[in-house]
């Protein structure tokens, strides 16, 4: 038999067994000095090696049926497309306990993790009152009818303005599939979006099957919780699987519909290991299983919009809000000639005061956590720098009653922490000052401006403890918070019933980024956070402070004009040959010295250049260059970008290139990683 193992080596590994073993079965095998769990992928009649040299399988794991053929096909496609060994796709996709030898061997194994999980009684979810479905408006009803009429596979792009009731369309489409006995996979980009959707799903799609009818799966779950949810889905007990990107690899025997909410979100792209896009794999899986896939967003990715405009996807539009409230009014405040108070314009402060007087909530959005981006010396220009990275350290204030005003310098790249120096390390001046603002400093200033207001901050620092994000959002929904300060965690998916005002600080930071996708990300981010305002209250307002109000991104935002922004951006990309009019792959290299990383990439470029010439493929090979943040944790990093107008040509060349890269790295201490369809360059 041929087995896939989670090792960074190409190909499968031959083992022998006394009896036949079905494809998809997990087995424990010796590998060097280790013992590993692998997945049987092939059972050839004759081995490729001499029988005497082939090691025997130690244990066949029979606590689960073999992984199904459609799951193996998805893993095979992902391995091929993203140029990774099959074992590095299959094994990490399983719950951790299903791929640990220690979970099956030893005195405490107790028959393996599946049997142990089955013996435990899962805690019943909180009871959620059943809710009747609201009446659909004509556009929602038409979208539901169009999805229900799909026979076989079709990818649907559901483009709806914020607050247009896309979730209601999802629920109706899911209900139709459940009534036919099918299962629904519901993907969301971030963990903090699952509690609100989970409540909606339980209240509307509960059914008689009880708690197991809905399974929730994300990386924030404990190992046992994740295994239990995975088993419910794999056994067909869960009718609906709600989860983040890792859920795409969960076997679902009766899968009838895939929903990808906020399909534009970069969180659907894995940024380490197998760098897959869950959205793109969802489209492939829908085609393979012959089922509809619904991609929903108020700001679709330009790639999805491109496919919809050309008829590859079915485009459905929700152009008005579901409730009888208008889209929020957007104001651009030109800050070039304004005297700001701690970063706040008079217009924004007045608007915050007015909302407080009316008993409405406000949201201040700044996509920068911490107290200040840097600590600086005004005498000599010294700036707090991470000693291990080519990046600044961010000033943070410790939180909690016992912390007082204790401060730390944090590097957000490598995790380095240190107390701020008492004096400038270069000139000795003790007058060190924070430059710029993060969420902590904004929260502090708001408390000074509005001492009577109840203010909360939601960012990665304030939500580290498990369940803390859900608690904070529950306080907002309960009306216990007057002003919410947050990063992108609060920008999408949340339905705040009493929020009338959104203020945006520091939006200009993304305007002039080197990445060609920066304007698309900025527009999506601003449209999404603007959509939190006025969803249930009239007179919703959004105030964006900017030094560049004439920029096309802001002008499109002012008119809520996604279609216009997309048309302008796609025309711009077509003129210079950028995705979706071209396909890209990015090879990154890491070494102790930058020269080594660049030399490796230079060799790799030459190899690919020769391969492309031999194949007659048209590739654009850029020069190797250092990354923007070139050093992280004392490791230097560089990149090589490869482009082609023809995806099959690019894929064919990459498949030939990858086996040749170890040769290019010979004699060098260098690590490298290939990413297909990179989102950040």
């Amino acid at each position: 038999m041929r087995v896939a193992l989670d090792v960074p080596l190409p190909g499968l590994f031959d083992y022998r067994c006394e009896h036949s073993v079905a494809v998809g079965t997990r087995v424990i095998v010796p590998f060097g000095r280790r013992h590993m769990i692998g997945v049987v992928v092939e059972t050839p009649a004759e081995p490729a090696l001499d029988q005497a040299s082939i090691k025997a399988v130690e244990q066949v794991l029979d606590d689960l049926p073999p992984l199904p053929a459609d799951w193996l096909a998805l893993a095979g496609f992902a391995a091929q497309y993203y140029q990774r060994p099959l074992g590095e796709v299959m094994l990490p996709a399983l719950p951790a306990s299903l791929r640990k030898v220690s979970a099956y061997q030893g005195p405490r194994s107790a028959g393996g993790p599946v049997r142990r999980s089955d013996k435990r009684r899962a805690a019943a979810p909180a009871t959620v009152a059943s809710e009747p479905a609201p009446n659909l408006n004509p556009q929602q009803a038409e979208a539901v009818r169009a999805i229900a009429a799909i026979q076989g596979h079709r990818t649907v792009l559901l483009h709806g303005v914020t607050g247009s009731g896309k979730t209601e369309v999802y629920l109706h489409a899911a209900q139709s599939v459940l009534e036919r006995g099918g299962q629904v996979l519901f993907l969301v980009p971030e963990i903090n979006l699952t509690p609100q959707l989970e409540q909606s799903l339980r209240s509307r799609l509960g059914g008689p099957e009880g708690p197991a009818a809905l399974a929730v799966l994300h990386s924030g779950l404990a190992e046992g919780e994740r295994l239990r949810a995975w088993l419910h889905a794999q056994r067909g007990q869960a009718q609906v699987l709600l989860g983040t990107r890792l859920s795409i690899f969960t076997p679902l025997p009766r899968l009838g519909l895939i929903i990808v909410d906020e399909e534009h979100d970069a969180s659907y792209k894995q940024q380490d290991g197998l760098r897959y896009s869950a959205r793109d794999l969802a489209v492939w899986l829908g085609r393979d299983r012959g089922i509809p896939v619904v991609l929903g967003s108020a700001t679709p990715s330009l790639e999805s919009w491109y496919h919809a405009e050309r008829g590859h996807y079915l485009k459905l539009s929700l152009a008005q809000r579901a409730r009888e409230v208008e889209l929020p009014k957007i104001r651009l405040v030109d800050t070039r000639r304004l005297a700001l108070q701690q970063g706040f314009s008079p217009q924004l402060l007045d608007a915050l005061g007015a909302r407080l007087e009316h008993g409405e909530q406000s949201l201040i959005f700044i996509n920068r956590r911490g107290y200040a981006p840097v600590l600086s010396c005004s005498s000599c220009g010294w700036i707090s720098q991470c000693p291990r990275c080519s990046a600044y350290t961010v000033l943070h204030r410790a939180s909690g009653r016992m912390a007082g005003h204790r401060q730390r310098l944090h590097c957000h790249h490598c995790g380095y922490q240190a107390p701020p120096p008492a004096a400038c390390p270069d000139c000795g001046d003790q007058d060190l000052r924070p430059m710029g603002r993060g969420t902590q400093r904004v929260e502090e200033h708001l408390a000074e401006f509005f001492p009577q207001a109840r203010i909360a901050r939601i960012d990665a620092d304030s939500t580290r403890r498990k369940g803390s994000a859900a608690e904070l959002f529950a306080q907002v929904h309960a009306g216990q918070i007057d002003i919410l300060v947050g990063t992108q965690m609060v920008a999408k998916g949340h339905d705040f019933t009493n929020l009338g005002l959104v203020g945006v600080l520091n939006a200009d930071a993304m305007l002039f980024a080197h990445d060609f996708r920066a304007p698309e990300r900025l527009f999506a981010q601003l449209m999404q956070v603007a959509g939190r305002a006025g969803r249930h209250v009239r007179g919703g307002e959004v105030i964006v402070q900017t030094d560049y109000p004439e920029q096309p991104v802001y002008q499109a935002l002012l008119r809520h004009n996604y279609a216009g922004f997309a048309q302008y951006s796609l025309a711009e990309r077509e003129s210079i040959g950028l995705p979706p009019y071209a396909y890209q792959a990015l090879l990154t290299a890491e070494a102790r010295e930058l020269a080594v990383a660049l030399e490796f990439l230079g060799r790799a470029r030459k190899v690919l250049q020769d391969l492309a010439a031999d194949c007659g493929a048209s590739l654009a090979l850029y020069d190797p260059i250092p990354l923007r943040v070139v050093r992280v944790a004392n490791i230097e990093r560089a990149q090589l970008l490869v482009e082609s107008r023809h995806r099959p040509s690019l894929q064919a060349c990459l498949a030939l290139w990858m086996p040749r890269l170890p040769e290019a790295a010979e004699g060098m201490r260098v690590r490298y990683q290939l990413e297909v369809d990179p989102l950040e360059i």
Side-chain angles (χ1 to χ4, degrees):
M1 68 178 68
R2 312 205 71 203
V3 177
L5 296 173
D6 186 10
V7 293
L9 298 170
L12 304 173
F13 301 90
D14 286 352
Y15 290 91
R16 56 185 171 83
C17 187
E18 298 299 325
H19 54 85
S20 63
V21 179
V23 169
T25 302
R26 290 168 306 125
V27 291
I28 297 178
V29 297
F31 187 79
R33 297 181 179 180
R34 294 180 290 167
H35 295 86
M36 302 182 72
I37 289 181
V39 177
V40 177
V41 177
E42 297 174 3
T43 55
E46 294 294 332
L49 303 174
D50 179 32
Q51 281 276 14
S53 65
I54 299 177
K55 295 181 179 179
V57 167
E58 282 193 3
Q59 185 178 347
V60 176
L61 302 178
D62 59 0
D63 54 346
L64 285 177
L67 293 161
D70 55 77
W71 187 91
L72 297 172
L74 175 64
F77 169 77
Q80 179 184 13
Y81 186 78
Y82 294 108
Q83 304 294 330
R84 299 289 293 198
L86 185 57
E88 287 192 334
V89 177
M90 286 185 170
L91 277 303
L94 299 174
S97 53
L98 296 182
R99 46 191 162 93
K100 284 183 184 175
V101 174
S102 59
Y104 286 92
Q105 296 181 346
R108 302 182 63 184
S109 62
V114 175
R115 292 188 177 92
R116 293 198 302 272
S117 177
D118 289 343
K119 289 178 182 177
R120 295 194 188 103
R121 178 173 294 180
T127 303
V128 178
S130 180
E131 292 181 2
N135 293 326
L136 300 178
N137 64 35
Q139 290 184 338
Q140 287 175 309
E142 176 55 36
V144 170
R145 279 195 297 270
I147 296 170
I150 294 172
Q151 300 293 320
H153 169 69
R154 189 78 195 270
T155 299
V156 177
L157 179 62
L158 180 63
H159 173 228
V161 298
T162 53
S164 59
K166 291 184 290 295
T167 301
E168 203 55 50
V169 174
Y170 300 152
L171 292 174
H172 277 77
Q175 187 68 58
S176 176
V177 172
L178 298 182
E179 288 171 357
R180 299 195 301 268
Q183 291 174 291
V184 177
L185 173 58
F186 199 134
L187 295 178
V188 292
E190 293 182 7
I191 294 171
N192 69 74
L193 294 178
T194 56
Q196 189 171 323
L197 274 169
E198 180 181 358
Q199 186 169 3
S200 297
L201 288 165
R202 289 196 189 282
S203 64
R204 291 283 301 283
L205 308 177
E209 289 79 1
L214 172 66
V216 179
L217 199 57
H218 55 72
S219 59
L221 297 175
E223 194 173 303
E225 292 175 309
R226 183 182 170 190
L227 174 61
R228 194 175 301 115
W230 189 92
L231 289 171
H232 283 154
Q234 178 261 347
R235 290 167 172 170
Q237 297 166 335
Q239 294 177 307
V240 180
L241 176 61
L242 170 65
T244 52
R245 62 175 178 256
L246 60 84
S247 306
I248 192 65
F249 287 108
T250 305
L252 293 160
R254 305 188 314 280
L255 183 61
L257 173 68
I258 303 174
I259 298 167
V260 185
D261 191 29
E262 309 291 2
E263 67 86 27
H264 67 278
D265 200 288
S267 298
Y268 283 121
K269 186 73 185 289
Q270 175 83 4
Q271 291 301 321
D272 52 28
L274 173 68
R275 302 192 175 192
Y276 66 93
S277 164
R279 179 201 64 201
D280 294 348
L281 288 182
V283 173
W284 186 92
L285 181 60
R287 186 180 299 118
D288 184 64
R289 299 286 293 267
I291 60 172
V293 178
V294 179
L295 311 178
S297 178
T299 54
S301 67
L302 290 179
E303 286 81 0
S304 295
W305 188 259
Y306 168 86
H307 287 305
E309 288 289 279
R310 278 150 185 76
H312 306 151
Y313 295 171
L314 172 64
K315 185 171 73 172
L316 303 175
S317 296
L318 304 176
Q320 64 190 54
R321 285 194 153 178
R323 297 178 183 86
E324 292 185 3
V325 289
E326 295 179 350
L327 286 167
K329 178 185 176 184
I330 296 179
R331 270 203 289 165
L332 301 177
V333 175
D334 188 342
T335 53
R336 286 173 289 193
R337 295 177 182 83
L338 281 181
L340 302 182
Q341 298 181 58
Q342 304 296 347
F344 287 83
S345 64
Q347 293 93 324
L348 182 51
L349 290 174
D350 289 346
L352 284 167
R355 297 292 167 171
L356 282 171
E357 287 181 10
H358 287 90
E360 293 179 9
Q361 295 170 312
S362 300
L363 165 63
I364 298 299
F365 174 76
I366 176 168
N367 204 26
R368 178 179 281 165
R369 61 190 177 95
Y371 187 80
V374 292
L375 191 65
S376 69
C377 173
S378 56
S379 297
C380 71
W382 172 87
I383 293 178
S384 57
Q385 180 88 29
C386 176
R388 306 191 300 187
C389 305
S390 55
Y392 300 127
T393 49
V394 178
L395 184 66
H396 284 251
R397 276 198 170 172
S399 57
R401 289 179 297 175
M402 305 299 292
H405 289 292
R406 185 163 52 85
Q407 296 181 330
R408 304 281 292 178
L409 289 171
H410 289 211
C411 176
H412 290 177
H413 295 278
C414 73
Y416 167 85
Q417 294 188 30
C424 175
D426 288 353
C427 72
D429 192 335
Q430 295 185 356
D431 187 20
L432 298 180
R433 299 178 181 178
M435 284 179 62
R437 291 164 190 83
T439 49
Q440 290 180 327
R441 197 174 190 188
V442 168
E443 180 186 24
E444 179 182 278
H445 293 326
L446 285 170
E448 295 169 359
F449 292 136
F450 305 106
Q452 78 282 15
R454 298 166 296 177
I455 302 170
R457 171 172 52 89
I458 297 183
D459 57 23
D461 299 315
S462 66
T463 57
R464 291 192 189 281
R465 181 175 53 83
K466 183 177 180 179
S468 55
E471 291 173 11
L472 284 167
F473 281 117
Q475 290 177 30
V476 178
H477 291 300
Q480 298 168 6
I481 304 299
D482 298 315
I483 302 176
L484 176 62
V485 179
T487 58
Q488 61 184 356
M489 289 180 66
V490 302
K492 60 210 167 201
H494 298 287
D495 190 20
F496 301 124
T497 57
N498 193 37
L499 198 144
L501 171 70
V502 169
V504 181
L505 308 181
N506 200 41
D508 294 342
M510 286 181 67
L511 266 182
F512 306 108
H514 296 294
D515 193 337
F516 72 88
R517 284 191 171 89
E520 179 186 2
R521 286 200 198 97
L522 176 59
F523 183 79
Q525 201 172 72
L526 294 178
M527 280 282 282
Q528 291 289 337
V529 74
R532 300 316 104 201
R535 296 171 76 93
H536 295 257
V537 297
R538 295 186 181 277
E541 184 180 19
V542 181
I543 295 177
V544 181
Q545 297 186 172
T546 174
D547 286 348
Y548 307 96
E550 69 286 346
Q551 283 287 321
V553 169
Y554 293 133
Q555 290 301 310
L557 177 73
L558 202 59
R559 299 186 293 272
H560 297 273
N561 186 13
Y562 170 81
F565 172 79
Q567 182 180 7
Y568 168 84
S569 300
L570 285 172
E572 189 176 55
R573 289 194 189 180
E574 184 177 21
S575 68
I576 51 180
L578 289 172
Y581 301 95
Y583 306 96
Q584 296 178 327
L586 189 70
L587 182 66
T588 55
E590 300 178 347
R592 286 287 180 182
E593 297 177 7
L594 180 60
V596 173
L598 290 171
E599 183 183 351
F600 162 72
L601 292 176
R603 292 183 187 179
R605 185 181 187 277
K606 179 66 169 63
V607 171
L608 183 55
Q609 204 168 27
D610 294 343
L611 287 172
D614 293 342
C615 298
S618 176
L619 300 184
L621 304 180
Y622 292 80
D623 290 331
I625 58 170
L627 265 69
R628 183 178 59 83
V629 179
V630 63
R631 187 175 70 257
V632 171
N634 292 320
I635 298 295
E636 307 285 335
R637 309 181 304 162
Q639 67 181 27
L640 167 65
L641 179 63
V642 182
E643 237 174 36
S644 176
R645 296 283 184 130
H646 190 237
R647 178 179 274 163
S649 294
L650 177 62
Q651 281 287 316
C653 288
L654 294 179
L656 295 171
W657 191 34
M658 286 300 290
R660 300 281 300 276
L661 290 181
E663 180 185 332
E666 194 171 342
M668 295 181 171
R669 300 191 67 179
V670 63
R671 295 175 58 189
Y672 57 87
Q673 166 83 45
L674 181 71
E675 181 175 5
V676 179
D677 301 333
L679 284 187
E680 294 187 17
I681 300 173

